[in-house]
Amino acid sequence: MADIFRVEIITPDRIFYEGEARFIEFTTAAGEIGVYANHIPMTTVLAPGIVTIHHGEEETVAAVHAGFAEILGDKVTLLAEVAEWPDEIDVNRAEAAKDRAEERIANKTTDIDVARAEFALRKALIRIDLAGYR
């Protein structure tokens, strides 16, 4: 039997998730990471992505849109600017945000912040992807 560890996802306005896991996957600024119990301690920067929390045969999925992760041997804490469940996603709004971001990127001018538009596009795509888990 695999070891269990605590998982917390905290945003500025709520404790988004508290529970136990056998494995967690999330996206960092350096790429995707998977964590089991007794992982080497580390702190890393979160990038927009889907978090998958594995509890044996079951999975819980959510989106986070930036922040920090602290990994300890018996606990993983994600401090996220925004975290969302699949049923909290407004797909029409996400599609509209995707379209706006794609247009800004395609028609970039000196007054367009391309990095910000690319970040907005990534967040919209994550939301659209997460909505498929409903």
Side-chain angles (χ1 to χ4, degrees), residues 27 46-51 62-67 80-86 88-102 104-105 114-132:
T27 306
L46 291 173
I50 293 179
V51 175
V64 296
H65 298 292
E81 290 179 14
V82 176
E84 300 170 299
W85 297 115
E88 294 175 332
I89 303 296
D90 180 337
V91 179
N92 293 331
R93 184 173 173 207
E95 289 282 354
K98 176 180 105 39
D99 293 343
R100 282 191 310 274
E102 287 175 336
R104 286 186 182 125
I105 292 167
V114 175
R116 184 175 174 198
E118 289 171 345
F119 188 74
L121 177 60
R122 176 98 171 114
K123 287 174 33 175
L125 292 172
I126 294 297
R127 285 181 168 125
I128 292 165
D129 190 27
L130 182 66

Side-chain angles (χ1 to χ4, degrees), residues 50-66:
I50 293 179
V51 175
T52 305
I53 304 165
H54 300 267
H55 331 264
E57 299 298 315
E58 295 181 26
E59 294 180 352
T60 300
V61 294
V64 296
H65 298 292

Side-chain angles (χ1 to χ4, degrees), residues 67-82:
F68 297 93
E70 177 187 51
I71 302 167
L72 302 173
D74 62 347
K75 184 177 181 183
V76 174
T77 303
L78 305 182
L79 301 172
E81 290 179 14
V82 176

Side-chain angles (χ1 to χ4, degrees), residues 28-46:
T28 73
E32 293 187 14
I33 186 172
V35 177
Y36 286 100
N38 303 313
H39 191 283
I40 186 169
M42 66 183 282
T43 302
T44 188
V45 176
L46 291 173

